[in-house]
Amino acid sequence: MKRTLDAAGMSLLAILLLGMPLWMNLVQLNVSLGTSLLLFGLAAASVNILVGYTGFMAFGNAAFFGVGAYGSALFSHYILPDNMIVATLVGALTGTLSALILAPFLIRRRGIYFALLTVAFGQVYYFLAYRWSNVTGGEDGFSISRPHLFGPSGIPMEGAAYYYYVLVIFVAVMAFLWFLVRSPFGLSLRAISQNEIRVRYLAINSDHMIFKALVISGMVAGIAGSLYSMSINFAYPLLMDWHQSGDFVMMTILGGAGTLWGPFLGAIIYTLAANVLSSKTETWQIIIGALFVVCVLFFPKGILGFLSRPATAAEDIDATARVRTEHAIEGERA
Amino acid sequence: MERLIPEIVNGIVLGAFYAIIAIGLSLIMNLTGTVNLAHGSFLTLAGYLAFVLLQRGTNFWLALGISAILTVFVGLAVERTLISPLYKRIPLYSLLLTFGLALIAEEVFRLIWGPQSVPFSTPSSLQGATIIGDTVLPTYRLAIMAVLALVMLLLLLFLYRTRQGLRLRGAVLNREMMAALGINTQVLYMMNFGIGIFLAAVAGVLASGLIGLSPTMGNGLLMPAFITVVIGGMGSLAGCLVGGLLLGVGQSVTTLYAPAASEIVTYVLMAVVLLIRPRGLFGEEGLFG
């Protein structure tokens, strides 16, 4: 039964995504909105690797996203103009590098200390982009023209063409994540989120695992950021701000952290809500803030988590057990 | 030299702000594991409340006191209704909740008092300059230093010389044991949160007179306060004080020599401290890893 439902859901999703440029046209939306949905979905998926699977409070993924955005924007401007594939690869690479640089500061930290450090170090990139204005354009941002697929004589990437390019990468990354969470590595990440001490007793170096998770998360966020800057033809410092990171975490929680498709669902709902609300009322931030509060208080497992199994008192006990484990780890280190 | 000394005094004032905000954050973090991202909103709220009172001709010091107390009441209401249900969950949820609250608060301030900064006037007795030796220092900054020092002294007296303070310190070490000893930990959580908000409120009113009052005023001070906690080390109030002063003086002196680098220096300081001492200057081994 569950298998049939899953298959039906996946086919529906595939049809919706493949036909996006068509039906978005029918409901009078721009296809660039569809592209944004996919990319915020990827950004939320990058958060999900840390928050959902590993149980680490990553509050700085917008930094990786932004570095990816600036990476491909600056690369297309200064080094090799007009080649989308190479620009995307550079975005992925710079995203990975940005996480590699931070990882040594972060991997030994747990709980709220980890959260604090991701916020604080994420801001480093923000201020770099903000202050290094003769290269990055500073506060005004940095505009680019969207490259062709394989260099100047290649295929132009307007509208639907660009959407399908993003869709291909989106599917590839999601497939990669699907394999990742089922691999031994993915299992040990989930084990870390449940009981890190036991994982250490199993002779698994959890710091090592977290290092890898951070770098993979940085890469996925970098890809998303790179494609986003080419989608809006623009990169600006606020992309890296910790408020953006908070939005990504919220998308993840809203859809259901620790599930493969939850973050994408959260990204869709969040982005559509923000889009509709900001066009209707100037005080949309209040409604988004209230959405945060309601979701945290009443739907902590997110929409997919809420649908797949009803929240019970046992869930709360489970969470307490987790907090206890954290304390125990502290005790062990003391 | 004659330019350096005023900058150092500026730095100490700025650092005292960072320190007192960081101490509030740190108290809340240590006891309940709540990273209060709405802390900046309480600074701004206190600023606006004082602004309203000052407009009606209230004495500055009275306005400071009243707005701080009102802000504490708002804080306690928020803690009881929204944050305390999350104490038994992993800290991610309170982080997100307070993030949402900060979004709401900023927009509400903008709705009521407008997006631009409002004219926040300090009393005439605090304007002008005081001359100490050969250096001319703004009186208001000296007053800020005095008030913040007094507040910190009171906090220390409370924590180390009263029974309730002892209980608070005990609960930070082991809340289950405190509960087992028959102490109502919920009351402790509430009191602790209230103290944190009080510190934020005092800093908020004083900062409004110094850097101007706008809906984003408090959030601008929040990030340096977080970094202060990281530099000083989690779980240490002395660390917050030293970290804050280090950060404030570091920023002001850099502003004098290389204005563009004044924000980056914050992060450079943090990275250097963490490389040399991963748990922060005064951080306790083991606490929060």
Side-chain angles (χ1 to χ4, degrees):
Chain A
M1 181 63 190
K2 190 174 178 297
R3 235 159 222 276
T4 348
L5 267 183
D6 277 357
M10 287 307 294
S11 345
L12 183 67
L13 184 66
I15 292 169
L16 280 180
L17 288 183
L18 281 172
M20 182 96 82
L22 288 175
W23 63 261
M24 279 221 142
N25 229 339
L26 290 179
V27 291
Q28 318 231 309
L29 286 168
N30 198 317
V31 72
S32 67
L33 177 65
T35 314
S36 302
L37 293 182
L38 293 180
L39 294 176
F40 287 137
L42 279 188
S46 82
V47 173
N48 192 30
I49 298 171
L50 294 165
V51 172
Y53 292 112
T54 323
F56 273 57
M57 292 186 278
F59 234 70
N61 270 46
F64 310 146
F65 184 81
V67 170
Y70 271 103
S72 48
L74 296 177
F75 179 81
S76 329
H77 185 80
Y78 290 109
I79 300 169
L80 177 72
D82 221 2
N83 190 323
M84 183 166 281
I85 298 231
V86 182
T88 312
L89 287 175
V90 169
L93 195 70
T94 45
T96 315
L97 270 178
S98 65
L100 259 178
I101 295 170
L102 294 195
F105 291 99
L106 299 174
I107 49 168
R108 281 175 208 285
R109 310 278 163 254
R110 297 292 179 272
I112 51 179
Y113 204 3
F114 183 88
L116 265 189
L117 285 182
T118 49
V119 175
F121 276 112
Q123 292 295 99
V124 176
Y125 293 114
Y126 170 78
F127 277 114
L128 272 180
Y130 190 79
R131 281 287 169 198
W132 198 11
S133 47
N134 44 0
V135 175
T136 62
E139 197 181 0
D140 297 335
F142 188 85
S143 51
I144 42 169
S145 49
R146 191 180 298 166
H148 292 76
L149 190 56
F150 307 102
S153 54
I155 311 157
M157 298 299 282
E158 295 311 317
Y162 187 65
Y163 170 81
Y164 284 114
Y165 175 69
V166 171
L167 184 62
V168 168
I169 295 175
F170 175 83
V171 171
V173 174
M174 290 311 281
F176 166 68
L177 292 179
W178 189 87
F179 281 110
L180 190 82
V181 296
R182 274 157 189 76
S183 69
F185 169 66
L187 278 180
S188 45
L189 288 188
R190 280 194 273 177
I192 288 173
S193 83
Q194 283 168 8
N195 191 337
E196 192 182 342
I197 297 177
R198 274 199 76 182
V199 171
R200 284 172 168 268
Y201 279 141
L202 293 170
I204 294 170
N205 186 341
S206 56
D207 289 351
H208 225 116
M209 298 289 151
I210 293 153
F211 183 89
K212 285 188 200 159
L214 255 171
V215 173
I216 294 172
S217 176
M219 181 188 74
V220 174
I223 294 173
S226 146
L227 294 172
Y228 187 68
S229 73
M230 291 192 269
S231 166
I232 61 173
N233 299 326
F234 197 47
Y236 54 100
L238 276 178
L239 282 180
M240 308 194 198
D241 191 47
W242 61 283
H243 285 93
Q244 186 66 56
S245 297
D247 289 349
F248 290 155
V249 180
M250 196 58 224
M251 292 171 189
T252 311
I253 301 289
L254 182 65
T259 61
L260 188 66
W261 293 103
F264 181 43
L265 182 65
I268 293 174
I269 295 173
Y270 186 93
T271 313
L272 288 182
N275 254 324
V276 171
L277 289 173
S278 62
S279 65
K280 288 240 183 331
T281 152
E282 284 187 14
T283 58
W284 62 283
Q285 250 197 46
I286 296 184
I287 305 174
I288 290 288
L291 181 73
F292 273 53
V293 172
V294 169
C295 174
V296 165
L297 283 176
F298 303 111
F299 304 100
K301 295 255 158 199
I303 295 164
L304 282 192
F306 183 73
L307 290 180
S308 61
R309 62 198 146 121
T312 59
E315 307 272 336
D316 272 345
I317 294 168
D318 180 46
T320 336
R322 271 198 195 181
V323 178
R324 290 243 173 77
T325 321
E326 263 180 50
H327 281 284
I329 293 169
E330 286 157 22
E332 186 207 34
R333 296 181 158 228
Chain B
M1 239 357 231
E2 63 270 27
R3 284 170 68 208
L4 192 61
I5 291 178
E7 275 309 328
I8 289 179
V9 173
N10 281 353
I12 293 175
V13 172
L14 198 61
F17 276 124
Y18 295 161
I20 209 143
I21 302 164
I23 288 174
L25 279 173
S26 210
L27 282 172
I28 297 171
M29 241 182 283
N30 294 344
L31 185 62
T32 56
T34 307
V35 182
N36 186 13
L37 291 180
H39 215 66
S41 311
F42 288 108
L43 272 107
T44 319
L45 174 65
Y48 277 116
L49 289 176
F51 167 70
V52 170
L53 288 168
L54 287 174
Q55 267 188 330
R56 316 214 158 168
T58 319
N59 173 287
F60 180 77
W61 300 111
L62 195 64
L64 172 65
I66 295 175
S67 57
I69 290 167
L70 287 177
T71 310
V72 168
F73 277 120
V74 176
L76 290 182
V78 169
E79 193 264 353
R80 274 301 99 186
T81 51
L82 299 173
I83 301 176
S84 69
L86 302 177
Y87 287 153
K88 58 185 179 217
R89 295 212 215 134
I90 54 171
L92 176 70
Y93 290 108
S94 51
L95 192 79
L96 277 174
L97 184 109
T98 51
F99 182 70
L101 289 180
L103 285 182
I104 297 176
E106 197 180 308
E107 199 62 47
V108 169
F109 297 143
R110 204 168 284 152
L111 271 181
I112 303 178
W113 288 286
Q116 257 69 45
S117 51
V118 294
F120 191 95
S121 54
T122 51
S124 51
S125 60
L126 293 179
Q127 286 162 3
T130 305
I131 300 165
I132 301 172
D134 310 332
T135 26
V136 185
L137 298 167
T139 313
Y140 187 62
R141 284 178 199 258
L142 293 176
I144 289 176
M145 258 153 73
V147 174
L148 293 184
L150 178 73
V151 169
M152 265 183 241
L153 186 72
L154 286 177
L155 177 72
L156 286 181
L157 281 178
F158 172 78
L159 283 178
Y160 290 92
R161 288 283 177 272
T162 67
R163 183 170 291 263
Q164 292 297 332
L166 182 69
R167 286 178 179 169
L168 262 189
R169 286 184 294 134
V172 170
L173 292 176
N174 192 338
R175 11 180 191 163
E176 272 155 29
M177 181 55 86
M178 286 317 258
L181 289 172
I183 286 156
N184 188 340
T185 45
Q186 290 296 326
V187 173
L188 284 183
Y189 298 158
M190 220 173 117
M191 191 170 67
N192 184 59
F193 196 85
I195 295 170
I197 298 304
F198 180 77
L199 297 178
V202 171
V205 176
L206 293 175
S208 305
L210 188 67
I211 58 176
L213 179 59
S214 69
T216 53
M217 185 271 286
N219 287 337
L221 286 171
L222 187 63
M223 189 49 63
F226 273 127
I227 292 167
T228 300
V229 175
V230 171
I231 289 181
M234 301 269 300
S236 164
L237 300 189
C240 289
L241 189 56
V242 176
L245 293 178
L246 197 66
L247 210 59
V249 174
Q251 275 187 349
S252 302
V253 174
T254 326
T255 314
L256 189 61
Y257 295 110
S262 67
E263 280 129 349
I264 290 295
V265 76
T266 319
Y267 299 100
V268 174
L269 258 175
M270 175 174 72
V272 169
V273 167
L274 287 178
L275 280 177
I276 300 168
R277 249 184 99 78
R279 62 185 119 116
L281 291 176
F282 292 79
E284 285 164 52
E285 175 110 46
L287 201 64
F288 307 108

